[in-house]
Amino acid sequence: MSPMSSSRIHSRTQIGIVGAGPAGLMLSHLLARAGIDSVAIDLRGRREIEETHRAGILEQDSVDLLVDTGVSDRVHRDGYRHDGIELAFGGGGHRIDFQGLVGASTQLYPQTDVFIDLADARERDGGDVRFGVTDVTVDGLTSDSPVMRFTDADGTLHEVRADFLVGADGSRSLCRREVPEARRTQYFREYPFAWFGILTEAAPSAPELIYNHSPRGFALISQRTETLQRMYFQCDPAEDAATWSDDRIWEELQSRVGANGHTLKEGPITSRTVLPFRSFVQEPMHHGRLVLAGDAAHTVPPTGAKGLNLALADVRVLAEELERAVASGDTAPLATYSERALGRVWKAQHFSYWMTTMLHTLPGASPFDVRRQEGELSAVTGSTAGSTYLAEAYTGWPEGR
């Protein structure tokens, strides 16, 4: 233990942020631009977060948030713009033209890189961000001066008092658990399938994402770089990824996309994992002087590519309302934040649920169920109105809609 670890260091900031992933760091960045001090902490080390490979499809508003607020323009230099996606079913492919339908696009840019850009920006701007902390607790949430306690990476004990606290600490949020049961409502749905995800050293198999429906189950063909690709196929949540050989994985993927006329470019598989997913929302997204943001307040199935975008949309709104709260000393803007954020959250929940149930084969599905899904996909792709809804929801709703 360090000589200082036996005594606790007391300090004060305007906003204490538990969680220094993309949501927490973006909020800290936006607050700093408004002249508001913050301290952000995270249990994970910076390198640990950087080495956790996460996919990422960014809506245009998310791209603009990174670039226009001065985080970085690397998303334009290293990302890949996608003007559509392909829905593959019934023996063929059907493109959803984002640009033609809604004049928007998405950017393929991994969440890992979003984190790196934000962490670099906070370091560049002198932000107070502490990685690798332990023993995190929050207290006094309904008082005028809530507190965030933790042990720094060097063993120093800290107690930081703040005007407001933010829980941006992910789907296992400790901050969320501090909200009394009587003051919250939780909405939850577990899905009976998961994604078997791989990274492979191969050339891209397609210029845009392929969402593939087949009687054997869903598959998603995505990209990462010119030489590294990410792909997924639907599996049982109890599946053990370690028992699958490369040959078995490729046979499964090729059989699913082959039913709709595609052939994948194969290569060595460098990573494999099983990703269960669920839908979750906690309302309201505030309690006393605590607010929740990102996965701490809500999670969605990955099918609609909404998770990271929802988190960034949360903190864009939250920064505005915290600026008002700091100026007034009042908690009313926190309720306004919750109401504004939840409007988008529930639209994203519906879209993610719809995409998931339309494309995945339910356990025990009958031939009728599979053909009905093909009918739904045909109705969407064969209708300008249906395709426009998908394009608008996928690329992101404008603020206030």
Side-chain angles (χ1 to χ4, degrees), residues 11-30:
S11 60
R12 185 165 187 92
T13 189
Q14 289 172 294
I15 310 295
I17 304 172
V18 182
L25 292 180
M26 178 58 83
L27 178 62
S28 177
H29 172 73
L30 294 175

PDB file of all heavy atoms in Angstrom, residues 11-30:
ATOM      1  N   SER A  11     -12.369  15.496  -2.087  1.00  0.00           N
ATOM      2  CA  SER A  11     -12.359  16.510  -3.137  1.00  0.00           C
ATOM      3  C   SER A  11     -13.795  16.761  -3.598  1.00  0.00           C
ATOM      4  O   SER A  11     -14.728  16.086  -3.168  1.00  0.00           O
ATOM      5  CB  SER A  11     -11.483  16.074  -4.327  1.00  0.00           C
ATOM      6  OG  SER A  11     -11.969  14.866  -4.889  1.00  0.00           O
ATOM      7  N   ARG A  12     -13.924  17.739  -4.473  1.00  0.00           N
ATOM      8  CA  ARG A  12     -15.252  18.089  -4.951  1.00  0.00           C
ATOM      9  C   ARG A  12     -15.205  18.353  -6.456  1.00  0.00           C
ATOM     10  O   ARG A  12     -14.213  18.860  -6.974  1.00  0.00           O
ATOM     11  CB  ARG A  12     -15.796  19.323  -4.222  1.00  0.00           C
ATOM     12  CG  ARG A  12     -17.239  19.637  -4.617  1.00  0.00           C
ATOM     13  CD  ARG A  12     -17.934  20.598  -3.692  1.00  0.00           C
ATOM     14  NE  ARG A  12     -19.346  20.694  -4.064  1.00  0.00           N
ATOM     15  CZ  ARG A  12     -20.323  19.954  -3.563  1.00  0.00           C
ATOM     16  NH1 ARG A  12     -20.042  19.074  -2.618  1.00  0.00           N
ATOM     17  NH2 ARG A  12     -21.569  20.084  -3.969  1.00  0.00           N
ATOM     18  N   THR A  13     -16.275  17.989  -7.137  1.00  0.00           N
ATOM     19  CA  THR A  13     -16.435  18.287  -8.559  1.00  0.00           C
ATOM     20  C   THR A  13     -17.904  18.594  -8.802  1.00  0.00           C
ATOM     21  O   THR A  13     -18.753  18.381  -7.934  1.00  0.00           O
ATOM     22  CB  THR A  13     -15.962  17.100  -9.433  1.00  0.00           C
ATOM     23  OG1 THR A  13     -15.924  17.502 -10.804  1.00  0.00           O
ATOM     24  CG2 THR A  13     -16.902  15.898  -9.294  1.00  0.00           C
ATOM     25  N   GLN A  14     -18.194  19.076  -9.975  1.00  0.00           N
ATOM     26  CA  GLN A  14     -19.601  19.363 -10.267  1.00  0.00           C
ATOM     27  C   GLN A  14     -20.365  18.097 -10.660  1.00  0.00           C
ATOM     28  O   GLN A  14     -21.481  17.873 -10.209  1.00  0.00           O
ATOM     29  CB  GLN A  14     -19.692  20.422 -11.373  1.00  0.00           C
ATOM     30  CG  GLN A  14     -19.254  21.810 -10.902  1.00  0.00           C
ATOM     31  CD  GLN A  14     -19.156  22.812 -12.040  1.00  0.00           C
ATOM     32  OE1 GLN A  14     -18.305  22.681 -12.922  1.00  0.00           O
ATOM     33  NE2 GLN A  14     -20.036  23.807 -12.033  1.00  0.00           N
ATOM     34  N   ILE A  15     -19.740  17.242 -11.484  1.00  0.00           N
ATOM     35  CA  ILE A  15     -20.397  16.019 -11.924  1.00  0.00           C
ATOM     36  C   ILE A  15     -19.454  14.829 -11.692  1.00  0.00           C
ATOM     37  O   ILE A  15     -18.332  14.805 -12.212  1.00  0.00           O
ATOM     38  CB  ILE A  15     -20.778  16.059 -13.421  1.00  0.00           C
ATOM     39  CG1 ILE A  15     -21.529  17.352 -13.756  1.00  0.00           C
ATOM     40  CG2 ILE A  15     -21.582  14.822 -13.796  1.00  0.00           C
ATOM     41  CD1 ILE A  15     -22.872  17.495 -13.076  1.00  0.00           C
ATOM     42  N   GLY A  16     -19.910  13.858 -10.929  1.00  0.00           N
ATOM     43  CA  GLY A  16     -19.178  12.606 -10.767  1.00  0.00           C
ATOM     44  C   GLY A  16     -19.748  11.574 -11.723  1.00  0.00           C
ATOM     45  O   GLY A  16     -20.963  11.365 -11.770  1.00  0.00           O
ATOM     46  N   ILE A  17     -18.883  10.915 -12.490  1.00  0.00           N
ATOM     47  CA  ILE A  17     -19.327   9.971 -13.514  1.00  0.00           C
ATOM     48  C   ILE A  17     -18.750   8.597 -13.209  1.00  0.00           C
ATOM     49  O   ILE A  17     -17.525   8.414 -13.213  1.00  0.00           O
ATOM     50  CB  ILE A  17     -18.893  10.415 -14.924  1.00  0.00           C
ATOM     51  CG1 ILE A  17     -19.401  11.832 -15.226  1.00  0.00           C
ATOM     52  CG2 ILE A  17     -19.380   9.429 -15.974  1.00  0.00           C
ATOM     53  CD1 ILE A  17     -18.842  12.421 -16.523  1.00  0.00           C
ATOM     54  N   VAL A  18     -19.620   7.626 -12.942  1.00  0.00           N
ATOM     55  CA  VAL A  18     -19.191   6.248 -12.731  1.00  0.00           C
ATOM     56  C   VAL A  18     -19.293   5.538 -14.074  1.00  0.00           C
ATOM     57  O   VAL A  18     -20.384   5.343 -14.597  1.00  0.00           O
ATOM     58  CB  VAL A  18     -20.052   5.544 -11.674  1.00  0.00           C
ATOM     59  CG1 VAL A  18     -19.547   4.115 -11.443  1.00  0.00           C
ATOM     60  CG2 VAL A  18     -20.049   6.322 -10.367  1.00  0.00           C
ATOM     61  N   GLY A  19     -18.155   5.173 -14.623  1.00  0.00           N
ATOM     62  CA  GLY A  19     -18.113   4.564 -15.946  1.00  0.00           C
ATOM     63  C   GLY A  19     -17.395   5.460 -16.934  1.00  0.00           C
ATOM     64  O   GLY A  19     -17.844   6.580 -17.198  1.00  0.00           O
ATOM     65  N   ALA A  20     -16.271   4.984 -17.479  1.00  0.00           N
ATOM     66  CA  ALA A  20     -15.494   5.784 -18.434  1.00  0.00           C
ATOM     67  C   ALA A  20     -15.354   5.044 -19.760  1.00  0.00           C
ATOM     68  O   ALA A  20     -14.290   5.007 -20.368  1.00  0.00           O
ATOM     69  CB  ALA A  20     -14.119   6.132 -17.854  1.00  0.00           C
ATOM     70  N   GLY A  21     -16.465   4.428 -20.182  1.00  0.00           N
ATOM     71  CA  GLY A  21     -16.553   3.928 -21.541  1.00  0.00           C
ATOM     72  C   GLY A  21     -16.989   5.052 -22.459  1.00  0.00           C
ATOM     73  O   GLY A  21     -16.914   6.236 -22.089  1.00  0.00           O
ATOM     74  N   PRO A  22     -17.455   4.758 -23.665  1.00  0.00           N
ATOM     75  CA  PRO A  22     -17.843   5.824 -24.589  1.00  0.00           C
ATOM     76  C   PRO A  22     -18.877   6.787 -24.023  1.00  0.00           C
ATOM     77  O   PRO A  22     -18.763   8.003 -24.226  1.00  0.00           O
ATOM     78  CB  PRO A  22     -18.397   5.048 -25.795  1.00  0.00           C
ATOM     79  CG  PRO A  22     -17.634   3.767 -25.778  1.00  0.00           C
ATOM     80  CD  PRO A  22     -17.471   3.426 -24.327  1.00  0.00           C
ATOM     81  N   ALA A  23     -19.894   6.295 -23.299  1.00  0.00           N
ATOM     82  CA  ALA A  23     -20.928   7.194 -22.777  1.00  0.00           C
ATOM     83  C   ALA A  23     -20.346   8.146 -21.737  1.00  0.00           C
ATOM     84  O   ALA A  23     -20.554   9.362 -21.802  1.00  0.00           O
ATOM     85  CB  ALA A  23     -22.084   6.393 -22.181  1.00  0.00           C
ATOM     86  N   GLY A  24     -19.628   7.603 -20.757  1.00  0.00           N
ATOM     87  CA  GLY A  24     -19.065   8.442 -19.702  1.00  0.00           C
ATOM     88  C   GLY A  24     -18.050   9.444 -20.224  1.00  0.00           C
ATOM     89  O   GLY A  24     -18.029  10.606 -19.801  1.00  0.00           O
ATOM     90  N   LEU A  25     -17.206   9.008 -21.153  1.00  0.00           N
ATOM     91  CA  LEU A  25     -16.185   9.907 -21.689  1.00  0.00           C
ATOM     92  C   LEU A  25     -16.795  10.992 -22.573  1.00  0.00           C
ATOM     93  O   LEU A  25     -16.371  12.142 -22.529  1.00  0.00           O
ATOM     94  CB  LEU A  25     -15.147   9.101 -22.477  1.00  0.00           C
ATOM     95  CG  LEU A  25     -14.255   8.177 -21.661  1.00  0.00           C
ATOM     96  CD1 LEU A  25     -13.272   7.443 -22.570  1.00  0.00           C
ATOM     97  CD2 LEU A  25     -13.485   8.942 -20.579  1.00  0.00           C
ATOM     98  N   MET A  26     -17.789  10.621 -23.383  1.00  0.00           N
ATOM     99  CA  MET A  26     -18.435  11.640 -24.201  1.00  0.00           C
ATOM    100  C   MET A  26     -19.138  12.673 -23.329  1.00  0.00           C
ATOM    101  O   MET A  26     -19.084  13.882 -23.601  1.00  0.00           O
ATOM    102  CB  MET A  26     -19.425  11.008 -25.180  1.00  0.00           C
ATOM    103  CG  MET A  26     -20.181  12.022 -26.042  1.00  0.00           C
ATOM    104  SD  MET A  26     -19.116  13.106 -27.038  1.00  0.00           S
ATOM    105  CE  MET A  26     -18.795  12.029 -28.454  1.00  0.00           C
ATOM    106  N   LEU A  27     -19.800  12.214 -22.270  1.00  0.00           N
ATOM    107  CA  LEU A  27     -20.450  13.167 -21.370  1.00  0.00           C
ATOM    108  C   LEU A  27     -19.419  14.092 -20.741  1.00  0.00           C
ATOM    109  O   LEU A  27     -19.617  15.320 -20.688  1.00  0.00           O
ATOM    110  CB  LEU A  27     -21.221  12.417 -20.284  1.00  0.00           C
ATOM    111  CG  LEU A  27     -21.897  13.308 -19.246  1.00  0.00           C
ATOM    112  CD1 LEU A  27     -22.937  14.215 -19.885  1.00  0.00           C
ATOM    113  CD2 LEU A  27     -22.534  12.466 -18.141  1.00  0.00           C
ATOM    114  N   SER A  28     -18.318  13.541 -20.250  1.00  0.00           N
ATOM    115  CA  SER A  28     -17.262  14.358 -19.660  1.00  0.00           C
ATOM    116  C   SER A  28     -16.742  15.386 -20.659  1.00  0.00           C
ATOM    117  O   SER A  28     -16.507  16.553 -20.309  1.00  0.00           O
ATOM    118  CB  SER A  28     -16.127  13.448 -19.184  1.00  0.00           C
ATOM    119  OG  SER A  28     -15.047  14.192 -18.668  1.00  0.00           O
ATOM    120  N   HIS A  29     -16.579  14.975 -21.904  1.00  0.00           N
ATOM    121  CA  HIS A  29     -16.105  15.872 -22.955  1.00  0.00           C
ATOM    122  C   HIS A  29     -17.103  17.004 -23.210  1.00  0.00           C
ATOM    123  O   HIS A  29     -16.723  18.180 -23.284  1.00  0.00           O
ATOM    124  CB  HIS A  29     -15.873  15.060 -24.226  1.00  0.00           C
ATOM    125  CG  HIS A  29     -15.568  15.873 -25.441  1.00  0.00           C
ATOM    126  ND1 HIS A  29     -14.353  16.503 -25.627  1.00  0.00           N
ATOM    127  CD2 HIS A  29     -16.321  16.166 -26.543  1.00  0.00           C
ATOM    128  CE1 HIS A  29     -14.365  17.146 -26.786  1.00  0.00           C
ATOM    129  NE2 HIS A  29     -15.544  16.959 -27.354  1.00  0.00           N
ATOM    130  N   LEU A  30     -18.385  16.654 -23.332  1.00  0.00           N
ATOM    131  CA  LEU A  30     -19.408  17.669 -23.600  1.00  0.00           C
ATOM    132  C   LEU A  30     -19.541  18.639 -22.433  1.00  0.00           C
ATOM    133  O   LEU A  30     -19.727  19.849 -22.634  1.00  0.00           O
ATOM    134  CB  LEU A  30     -20.746  16.992 -23.888  1.00  0.00           C
ATOM    135  CG  LEU A  30     -20.824  16.151 -25.167  1.00  0.00           C
ATOM    136  CD1 LEU A  30     -22.165  15.434 -25.260  1.00  0.00           C
ATOM    137  CD2 LEU A  30     -20.583  17.003 -26.410  1.00  0.00           C
TER     138      LEU A  30
END
